Amino acid sequence: MLSSDQIAQYKEDGYCLVRGIFSPEEVSHYRAHYMKLRQTQAFPGDFSGVAMQKNAADSAANDQPDPLQKYPRMIHMHRWDDDSLQWLIAPRIGEILTDLLGIAPFAVQTMLYFKPPGARGQAIHQDQFYLKVQPGTCMAGWLALDDCDLDNGCLQVVPGSQTWPVLCTVAADTTQSFTDVTVPLPEGVKPVPVIMQAGDMLFFNGSLVHGSYPNTTTDRFRRALIGHYIVGNAEQVSEFYHPVLRMDGSVVEIGKSGSATSCGIWVDREGNPVIEVVGQAGQKTPEHE
Ligand SMILES: O=C(O)CCC(=O)C(=O)O
């Protein structure tokens, strides 16, 4: 159960860090489990990133093999791996999400980021851009399987951005990001790093702007096991996230949200940046979450 301070921090900042929710033995089990799966075969939805734009100034960098080719991100493992399913619907995660949301969640997605040494990060974005939960929003539960810091590309978040509408996306720098869209931030607003130890879990709201920089180490992975959830009174979520599960693992039928959506752009009002919602203008169709 979360403390009132943790719930207050979530309301204020859009995220809540819960330390040591999984033991060192459990974390070590998941690391070994996913490394073994990754080395065994390819799985549906494996994603090693968009092609990297060439860096005109650095031809040596252009010739480097991309570490993500060997360690593509896994997705929706809970649909074919029981360990992943049991983790996704673990009661301890359900209890925390219920504390934060005020209602039991539904579970919709698992992902495993290996982020080996030298791997690109993921440009800042909002998960709700992809999940399109209506009404309400989605939540991420991001479990660190390795200690995460600035060097190996820890998660970065923009505190308070959970109150923003979904922003229109722009092209990302694919030399730094394995996905190709990002969201702009007004001048002076910067993401802050979330330093975590293996076993810590970060819970964050679907509108929170977040992402990560590359892993610049030569010898440390930054593995993360991620669950995505939606509020238990949601009526729709994007088709990609179906089937939707109750936290007891049973399937719940809800609607599929369409691709049409509005998004926000930053405009200047009397010297202050504010978000103006502009329909679909400037919106790029998401190919990869
Ligand atoms: O782990 C990362 O580097 C980024 C993860 C992320 O952005 C996400 O799960 O939506």
Side-chain angles (χ1 to χ4, degrees), residues 6 15 29 31 34 54 65 69 75 78-79 104 112 116 175-176 182 185 204 238 243 257 259 268 272 287:
Q6 285 172 305
Y15 62 94
H29 164 78
R31 273 196 306 259
Y34 289 111
K54 296 281 180 207
Q69 294 294 337
I75 202 159
H78 66 286
R79 295 185 186 169
L112 198 289
T175 64
Q176 304 297 301
T182 189
L185 293 178
F204 56 93
S238 296
S257 37
S259 56
D268 184 280
N272 293 315
E287 283 168 16

Side-chain angles (χ1 to χ4, degrees), residues 92-277:
R92 67 189 109 167
I93 296 179
E95 280 158 26
I96 289 171
L97 287 166
T98 305
D99 279 356
L100 295 174
L101 293 168
I103 184 170
F106 295 144
V108 295
Q109 183 171 57
T110 42
M111 294 202 282
L112 198 289
Y113 283 63
F114 291 90
K115 203 164 186 180
R120 289 176 284 172
Q122 180 167 9
I124 55 168
H125 60 280
Q126 295 163 298
D127 290 339
Q128 174 70 349
F129 171 65
Y130 299 98
L131 281 91
K132 298 182 175 30
V133 179
Q134 292 300 334
T137 192
C138 51
M139 288 286 285
W142 195 102
L143 172 64
L145 296 184
D146 293 296
D147 294 349
C148 307
D149 52 37
L150 289 172
D151 292 338
N152 68 355
C154 62
L155 209 59
Q156 303 267 343
V157 298
V158 179
S161 57
Q162 78 281 1
T163 61
W164 300 353
V166 170
L167 291 162
C168 302
T169 57
V170 295
D173 174 357
T174 58
T175 64
Q176 304 297 301
S177 170
F178 84 131
T179 54
D180 61 357
V181 293
T182 189
V183 292
L185 293 178
E187 214 177 298
V189 176
K190 293 223 170 341
V192 299
V194 185
I195 309 298
M196 296 169 69
Q197 292 183 325
D200 295 347
M201 200 157 169
L202 190 77
F203 293 88
F204 56 93
N205 182 284
S207 294
L208 189 83
V209 174
H210 67 283
S212 70
Y213 298 118
N215 179 348
T216 58
T217 70
T218 54
D219 57 356
R220 288 197 291 132
F221 279 71
R222 197 237 58 190
R223 287 160 289 207
L225 177 55
I226 303 168
H228 282 130
Y229 303 86
I230 65 175
V231 286
N233 53 0
E235 290 164 13
Q236 296 184 337
V237 65
S238 296
E239 182 165 15
F240 186 59
Y241 301 87
H242 288 248
V244 174
L245 304 179
R246 295 186 189 87
M247 290 303 275
D248 64 4
S250 61
V251 173
V252 53
E253 296 298 336
I254 70 166
K256 295 176 181 168
S257 37
S259 56
T261 179
S262 57
C263 60
I265 55 170
W266 290 103
V267 295
D268 184 280
R269 286 250 173 84
E270 292 162 14
N272 293 315
V274 294
I275 298 172
E276 194 174 343
V277 174

